[in-house]
Short mmCIF file of all heavy atoms in Angstrom, two decimals:
data_model
loop_
_atom_site.label_atom_id
_atom_site.label_comp_id
_atom_site.label_asym_id
_atom_site.label_seq_id
_atom_site.Cartn_x
_atom_site.Cartn_y
_atom_site.Cartn_z
N GLY J 12 -2.75 5.03 -12.32
CA GLY J 12 -3.80 5.47 -13.23
C GLY J 12 -4.71 6.43 -12.49
O GLY J 12 -4.42 6.85 -11.36
N ASP J 13 -5.82 6.78 -13.11
CA ASP J 13 -6.79 7.70 -12.52
C ASP J 13 -7.48 7.02 -11.35
O ASP J 13 -8.24 6.07 -11.54
CB ASP J 13 -7.81 8.14 -13.57
CG ASP J 13 -8.83 9.11 -13.02
OD1 ASP J 13 -8.65 9.62 -11.89
OD2 ASP J 13 -9.82 9.37 -13.73
N TRP J 14 -7.23 7.49 -10.14
CA TRP J 14 -7.81 6.88 -8.94
C TRP J 14 -9.18 7.45 -8.61
O TRP J 14 -9.85 6.98 -7.70
CB TRP J 14 -6.86 7.05 -7.75
CG TRP J 14 -6.63 8.49 -7.39
CD1 TRP J 14 -5.73 9.34 -7.95
CD2 TRP J 14 -7.34 9.25 -6.42
NE1 TRP J 14 -5.83 10.58 -7.39
CE2 TRP J 14 -6.83 10.55 -6.43
CE3 TRP J 14 -8.38 8.95 -5.54
CZ2 TRP J 14 -7.30 11.57 -5.62
CZ3 TRP J 14 -8.86 9.96 -4.70
CH2 TRP J 14 -8.32 11.25 -4.75
N MET J 15 -9.62 8.45 -9.34
CA MET J 15 -10.92 9.09 -9.07
C MET J 15 -12.03 8.29 -9.76
O MET J 15 -12.73 8.78 -10.64
CB MET J 15 -10.91 10.54 -9.55
CG MET J 15 -9.81 11.37 -8.95
SD MET J 15 -10.23 12.30 -7.49
CE MET J 15 -11.69 13.18 -7.93
N THR J 16 -12.18 7.04 -9.34
CA THR J 16 -13.13 6.12 -9.91
C THR J 16 -13.52 5.09 -8.85
O THR J 16 -12.83 4.98 -7.83
CB THR J 16 -12.53 5.40 -11.15
OG1 THR J 16 -13.48 4.47 -11.66
CG2 THR J 16 -11.25 4.66 -10.79
N GLU J 17 -14.58 4.36 -9.09
CA GLU J 17 -14.91 3.24 -8.21
C GLU J 17 -14.41 1.92 -8.80
O GLU J 17 -14.57 0.88 -8.18
CB GLU J 17 -16.42 3.21 -7.97
CG GLU J 17 -16.88 4.39 -7.12
CD GLU J 17 -18.34 4.30 -6.72
OE1 GLU J 17 -18.98 3.26 -6.94
OE2 GLU J 17 -18.83 5.30 -6.15
N ASP J 18 -13.80 1.98 -9.99
CA ASP J 18 -13.24 0.79 -10.63
C ASP J 18 -11.89 0.45 -10.00
O ASP J 18 -11.34 1.22 -9.23
CB ASP J 18 -13.06 1.04 -12.13
CG ASP J 18 -14.39 1.20 -12.86
OD1 ASP J 18 -15.39 0.62 -12.39
OD2 ASP J 18 -14.41 1.92 -13.87
N PHE J 19 -11.35 -0.71 -10.41
CA PHE J 19 -10.02 -1.10 -9.94
C PHE J 19 -8.95 -0.27 -10.65
O PHE J 19 -9.05 0.00 -11.84
CB PHE J 19 -9.77 -2.59 -10.19
CG PHE J 19 -10.40 -3.47 -9.15
CD1 PHE J 19 -11.61 -4.09 -9.39
CD2 PHE J 19 -9.78 -3.67 -7.93
CE1 PHE J 19 -12.19 -4.91 -8.43
CE2 PHE J 19 -10.35 -4.49 -6.96
CZ PHE J 19 -11.56 -5.10 -7.21
N VAL J 20 -7.94 0.13 -9.88
CA VAL J 20 -6.82 0.92 -10.37
C VAL J 20 -5.53 0.19 -9.96
O VAL J 20 -5.37 -0.15 -8.79
CB VAL J 20 -6.83 2.34 -9.74
CG1 VAL J 20 -5.65 3.15 -10.23
CG2 VAL J 20 -8.15 3.04 -10.02
N PRO J 21 -4.61 -0.06 -10.89
CA PRO J 21 -3.34 -0.70 -10.53
C PRO J 21 -2.53 0.17 -9.57
O PRO J 21 -2.60 1.41 -9.63
CB PRO J 21 -2.60 -0.86 -11.86
CG PRO J 21 -3.61 -0.65 -12.91
CD PRO J 21 -4.68 0.22 -12.32
N PHE J 22 -1.75 -0.47 -8.69
CA PHE J 22 -0.86 0.25 -7.78
C PHE J 22 0.46 -0.49 -7.68
O PHE J 22 0.54 -1.69 -7.95
CB PHE J 22 -1.47 0.43 -6.39
CG PHE J 22 -1.64 -0.86 -5.63
CD1 PHE J 22 -0.59 -1.44 -4.93
CD2 PHE J 22 -2.87 -1.50 -5.62
CE1 PHE J 22 -0.75 -2.63 -4.23
CE2 PHE J 22 -3.05 -2.69 -4.93
CZ PHE J 22 -1.98 -3.26 -4.23
N THR J 23 1.51 0.24 -7.28
CA THR J 23 2.80 -0.36 -6.98
C THR J 23 3.45 0.39 -5.83
O THR J 23 3.13 1.55 -5.57
CB THR J 23 3.78 -0.33 -8.18
OG1 THR J 23 4.01 1.03 -8.54
CG2 THR J 23 3.26 -1.10 -9.36
N VAL J 24 4.37 -0.28 -5.17
CA VAL J 24 5.21 0.33 -4.14
C VAL J 24 6.43 -0.56 -3.97
O VAL J 24 6.33 -1.79 -4.04
CB VAL J 24 4.46 0.53 -2.80
CG1 VAL J 24 3.96 -0.79 -2.25
CG2 VAL J 24 5.32 1.24 -1.79
N THR J 25 7.60 0.05 -3.81
CA THR J 25 8.83 -0.68 -3.52
C THR J 25 9.24 -0.36 -2.10
O THR J 25 9.15 0.79 -1.68
CB THR J 25 9.96 -0.27 -4.49
OG1 THR J 25 9.49 -0.49 -5.83
CG2 THR J 25 11.21 -1.10 -4.27
N LEU J 26 9.66 -1.36 -1.36
CA LEU J 26 10.03 -1.18 0.05
C LEU J 26 11.47 -0.70 0.20
O LEU J 26 12.23 -1.25 0.98
CB LEU J 26 9.82 -2.48 0.82
CG LEU J 26 8.41 -3.05 0.79
CD1 LEU J 26 8.36 -4.35 1.56
CD2 LEU J 26 7.41 -2.05 1.35
N GLU J 27 11.83 0.31 -0.57
CA GLU J 27 13.19 0.84 -0.54
C GLU J 27 13.58 1.24 0.88
O GLU J 27 12.81 1.90 1.57
CB GLU J 27 13.32 2.04 -1.47
CG GLU J 27 13.09 1.69 -2.92
CD GLU J 27 13.14 2.90 -3.82
OE1 GLU J 27 13.87 3.85 -3.51
OE2 GLU J 27 12.41 2.88 -4.83
N GLU J 28 14.77 0.82 1.27
CA GLU J 28 15.33 1.15 2.58
C GLU J 28 14.56 0.57 3.75
O GLU J 28 14.70 1.03 4.88
CB GLU J 28 15.50 2.66 2.72
CG GLU J 28 16.41 3.25 1.65
CD GLU J 28 16.65 4.73 1.82
OE1 GLU J 28 16.65 5.20 2.97
OE2 GLU J 28 16.86 5.39 0.80
N ALA J 29 13.71 -0.44 3.50
CA ALA J 29 13.01 -1.09 4.59
C ALA J 29 14.00 -1.87 5.45
O ALA J 29 14.93 -2.47 4.95
CB ALA J 29 11.94 -2.04 4.05
N ASP J 30 13.79 -1.83 6.74
CA ASP J 30 14.64 -2.57 7.68
C ASP J 30 13.73 -3.45 8.52
O ASP J 30 12.93 -2.94 9.30
CB ASP J 30 15.44 -1.61 8.55
CG ASP J 30 16.38 -2.32 9.51
OD1 ASP J 30 16.43 -3.57 9.49
OD2 ASP J 30 17.06 -1.62 10.27
N PHE J 31 13.85 -4.76 8.35
CA PHE J 31 13.00 -5.70 9.08
C PHE J 31 13.65 -6.18 10.36
O PHE J 31 13.11 -7.05 11.05
CB PHE J 31 12.64 -6.89 8.18
CG PHE J 31 12.08 -6.50 6.85
CD1 PHE J 31 12.61 -7.00 5.67
CD2 PHE J 31 11.01 -5.62 6.75
CE1 PHE J 31 12.09 -6.64 4.44
CE2 PHE J 31 10.48 -5.25 5.52
CZ PHE J 31 11.02 -5.76 4.36
N GLY J 32 14.82 -5.63 10.69
CA GLY J 32 15.52 -6.04 11.90
C GLY J 32 15.83 -7.52 11.86
O GLY J 32 16.20 -8.06 10.83
N ASN J 33 15.64 -8.18 12.97
CA ASN J 33 15.89 -9.63 13.07
C ASN J 33 14.63 -10.46 12.86
O ASN J 33 14.65 -11.67 13.03
CB ASN J 33 16.50 -9.97 14.43
CG ASN J 33 17.87 -9.36 14.60
OD1 ASN J 33 18.61 -9.20 13.64
ND2 ASN J 33 18.22 -8.99 15.83
N ALA J 34 13.54 -9.79 12.52
CA ALA J 34 12.26 -10.51 12.36
C ALA J 34 12.34 -11.48 11.19
O ALA J 34 12.91 -11.18 10.15
CB ALA J 34 11.13 -9.50 12.14
N GLU J 35 11.77 -12.65 11.38
CA GLU J 35 11.74 -13.65 10.32
C GLU J 35 10.49 -13.54 9.47
O GLU J 35 10.49 -13.91 8.30
CB GLU J 35 11.83 -15.05 10.91
CG GLU J 35 13.17 -15.33 11.57
CD GLU J 35 13.25 -16.73 12.14
OE1 GLU J 35 12.38 -17.57 11.81
OE2 GLU J 35 14.18 -16.99 12.92
N GLY J 36 9.42 -13.05 10.07
CA GLY J 36 8.16 -12.94 9.34
C GLY J 36 7.22 -12.00 10.04
O GLY J 36 7.48 -11.53 11.15
N GLY J 37 6.13 -11.71 9.37
CA GLY J 37 5.14 -10.81 9.93
C GLY J 37 3.99 -10.61 8.97
O GLY J 37 3.58 -11.55 8.29
N THR J 38 3.54 -9.35 8.87
CA THR J 38 2.36 -9.06 8.07
C THR J 38 2.59 -7.80 7.24
O THR J 38 3.08 -6.80 7.74
CB THR J 38 1.14 -8.84 8.99
OG1 THR J 38 0.99 -9.98 9.84
CG2 THR J 38 -0.13 -8.66 8.18
N LEU J 39 2.19 -7.89 5.98
CA LEU J 39 2.13 -6.73 5.10
C LEU J 39 0.70 -6.22 5.18
O LEU J 39 -0.25 -6.97 4.93
CB LEU J 39 2.47 -7.16 3.66
CG LEU J 39 2.27 -6.10 2.59
CD1 LEU J 39 3.26 -4.95 2.78
CD2 LEU J 39 2.41 -6.72 1.21
N VAL J 40 0.54 -4.96 5.56
CA VAL J 40 -0.79 -4.37 5.73
C VAL J 40 -0.99 -3.28 4.67
O VAL J 40 -0.25 -2.31 4.64
CB VAL J 40 -0.96 -3.76 7.14
CG1 VAL J 40 -2.37 -3.20 7.31
CG2 VAL J 40 -0.65 -4.79 8.22
N LEU J 41 -1.97 -3.49 3.81
CA LEU J 41 -2.33 -2.49 2.80
C LEU J 41 -3.60 -1.82 3.31
O LEU J 41 -4.68 -2.42 3.30
CB LEU J 41 -2.52 -3.14 1.44
CG LEU J 41 -1.23 -3.76 0.93
CD1 LEU J 41 -1.29 -5.27 1.03
CD2 LEU J 41 -0.94 -3.31 -0.46
N LYS J 42 -3.44 -0.61 3.79
CA LYS J 42 -4.50 0.06 4.54
C LYS J 42 -5.28 1.04 3.66
O LYS J 42 -4.67 1.84 2.94
CB LYS J 42 -3.86 0.80 5.72
CG LYS J 42 -4.84 1.32 6.71
CD LYS J 42 -4.15 1.83 7.94
CE LYS J 42 -5.20 2.39 8.85
NZ LYS J 42 -4.76 2.66 10.16
N LYS J 43 -6.58 0.97 3.71
CA LYS J 43 -7.41 1.94 3.00
C LYS J 43 -7.10 3.32 3.58
O LYS J 43 -7.08 3.49 4.80
CB LYS J 43 -8.89 1.61 3.18
CG LYS J 43 -9.81 2.60 2.49
CD LYS J 43 -11.26 2.26 2.73
CE LYS J 43 -12.15 3.28 2.07
NZ LYS J 43 -13.56 3.08 2.43
N ASP J 44 -6.85 4.28 2.70
CA ASP J 44 -6.59 5.63 3.19
C ASP J 44 -7.90 6.19 3.73
O ASP J 44 -8.94 6.10 3.09
CB ASP J 44 -6.04 6.53 2.08
CG ASP J 44 -5.18 7.64 2.65
OD1 ASP J 44 -5.49 8.12 3.76
OD2 ASP J 44 -4.20 8.02 2.00
N ASN J 45 -7.85 6.74 4.93
CA ASN J 45 -9.04 7.20 5.62
C ASN J 45 -8.80 8.61 6.16
O ASN J 45 -8.57 8.79 7.35
CB ASN J 45 -9.38 6.22 6.75
CG ASN J 45 -10.60 6.66 7.54
OD1 ASN J 45 -11.34 7.55 7.15
ND2 ASN J 45 -10.81 6.02 8.68
N PRO J 46 -8.86 9.63 5.29
CA PRO J 46 -8.59 10.99 5.76
C PRO J 46 -9.63 11.50 6.76
O PRO J 46 -9.34 12.41 7.52
CB PRO J 46 -8.60 11.83 4.48
CG PRO J 46 -9.39 11.04 3.50
CD PRO J 46 -9.18 9.59 3.86
N SER J 47 -10.80 10.88 6.81
CA SER J 47 -11.83 11.32 7.76
C SER J 47 -11.46 10.94 9.19
O SER J 47 -11.91 11.58 10.13
CB SER J 47 -13.18 10.69 7.41
OG SER J 47 -13.18 9.30 7.70
#
C-alpha cells in the first residue's frame, strides 16, 4: 500500500531461493530502512 504515511502499512516477502545451510535455527531480522 501507500508507504508515504506514519500509519501502519501491510508488507510481505517470500524467502525464495533462501539457503539456510545446515543451520537448525536463528533469527529473522526485519530492519528499518535507514538511507541516512
Side-chain angles (χ1 to χ4, degrees):
D13 181 11
W14 63 276
M15 303 266 308
T16 178
E17 291 187 9
D18 294 331
F19 279 99
V20 178
F22 66 83
T23 60
V24 59
T25 304
L26 302 179
E27 296 177 31
E28 301 183 31
D30 182 0
F31 309 128
N33 295 328
E35 293 181 13
T38 305
L39 172 66
V40 182
L41 296 107
K42 191 171 177 167
K43 178 182 178 188
D44 207 326
N45 179 12
S47 71

